[in-house]
Amino acid sequence: MSTSSGRTSRRAWGTLSRARIVDAALRIARDEGMRALTIRRLASDLGASRMALYRHVADKDELVALVLDAIAEHEVVPPGIGEGPWDRRLRLLAATIRRELAAFPGLAEIVTTRTHHGPGALRTVELILEALAEAGLDDRQTARYYLVFLDLVLGRVQRELHGDVAGIHRDASLDATDRQPGDHPRLDAAEPHLRAITADEIFDTELDMLVHAIAHAAHR
């Protein structure tokens, strides 16, 4: 909160709330990444003292937990997620999880290493499990494909953010110095497609494979 002279003014007593803190934290995390999110920086943006923030948030760890939960509850779960076929709901959840992990720099690393979930994250877990159960899977199959779903979505995001092994292998094959025209006809035929296929297409195909595997397991 800044004055016309450029100095940061103090927020009036009683105007700070946990909701305001989380909103400001989300802005910092989206614009600058999770590493930029500190109590000091947040206090400065809010025009409040760090001690004022500590009356609402115990520490940085709790602040990060609140941000994760807010993202899960308000950004990941799309409107109308409880309606429609199970496979549509599963695809929607996969797409929104991927989108939000990419939207907040550093979030994917936290999500893949953090071991505690708040209410928003637990709701997301429940929605995924509900979709799998409605596909016709038994409890063990539901648990199995839930873990496969997480591995697919979180793994895809990590690869897109930190280097895709498949992309590296593709480029190594296409740009090999020992490659001569006509020696590898299948690779020659695939080359324009290998260069054109997007990450979205790969993600959609991975989800197709998962949905087909779930349907097959349920049918058996």
Side-chain angles (χ1 to χ4, degrees):
M1 193 192 302
S2 299
T3 65
S4 58
S5 62
R7 295 192 304 272
T8 299
S9 62
R10 288 297 184 192
R11 181 179 290 274
W13 177 268
T15 61
L16 194 62
S17 66
R18 178 172 281 203
R20 287 181 181 273
I21 291 171
V22 172
D23 284 345
L26 284 168
R27 285 195 298 272
I28 295 171
R30 186 182 290 276
D31 293 343
E32 302 178 41
M34 296 297 293
R35 288 189 178 183
L37 183 58
T38 65
I39 297 292
R40 183 187 295 274
R41 168 62 191 282
L42 190 57
S44 176
D45 279 21
L46 288 167
S49 68
R50 281 179 288 169
M51 289 307 299
L53 260 68
Y54 284 130
R55 284 192 285 271
H56 298 273
V57 180
D59 51 28
K60 168 72 177 290
D61 192 58
E62 184 181 7
L63 177 63
V64 169
L66 289 171
V67 168
L68 294 181
D69 204 54
I71 294 170
E73 188 168 4
H74 302 297
E75 307 294 339
V76 167
V77 178
I81 190 58
E83 305 167 1
W86 67 268
D87 55 327
R88 171 187 173 275
R89 286 147 52 200
L90 202 64
R91 290 176 188 275
L92 278 174
L93 288 166
T96 53
I97 291 170
R98 177 185 178 222
R99 182 194 68 207
E100 294 308 314
L101 288 177
F104 291 84
L107 180 62
E109 289 74 12
I110 294 174
V111 168
T112 53
T113 57
R114 197 173 184 89
T115 57
H116 299 289
H117 284 344
L122 289 175
R123 183 185 176 214
T124 303
V125 171
E126 186 70 10
L127 288 168
I128 297 168
L129 292 171
E130 281 180 0
L132 293 171
E134 288 183 25
L137 300 177
D138 62 30
D139 289 346
R140 181 172 178 79
Q141 290 173 323
T142 295
R144 175 186 175 192
Y145 281 101
Y146 165 71
L147 295 177
V148 173
F149 174 88
L150 292 182
D151 190 70
L152 188 160
V153 177
L154 298 181
R156 167 53 47 191
V157 172
Q158 288 280 22
R159 290 190 293 275
E160 289 173 355
L161 293 176
H162 302 294
D164 195 333
V165 174
I168 293 172
H169 180 77
R170 173 204 61 199
D171 294 342
S173 299
L174 295 177
D175 300 332
T177 56
D178 293 336
R179 182 180 166 212
Q180 299 298 323
D183 286 352
H184 308 90
R186 293 297 182 188
L187 183 57
D188 292 342
E191 177 171 2
H193 307 291
L194 289 172
R195 294 193 185 278
I197 288 171
T198 66
D200 287 345
E201 289 179 277
I202 294 173
F203 185 62
D204 288 342
T205 303
E206 289 172 338
L207 287 174
D208 287 341
M209 295 168 67
L210 177 62
V211 166
H212 290 320
I214 292 168
H216 179 70
H219 178 72
R220 286 194 305 172

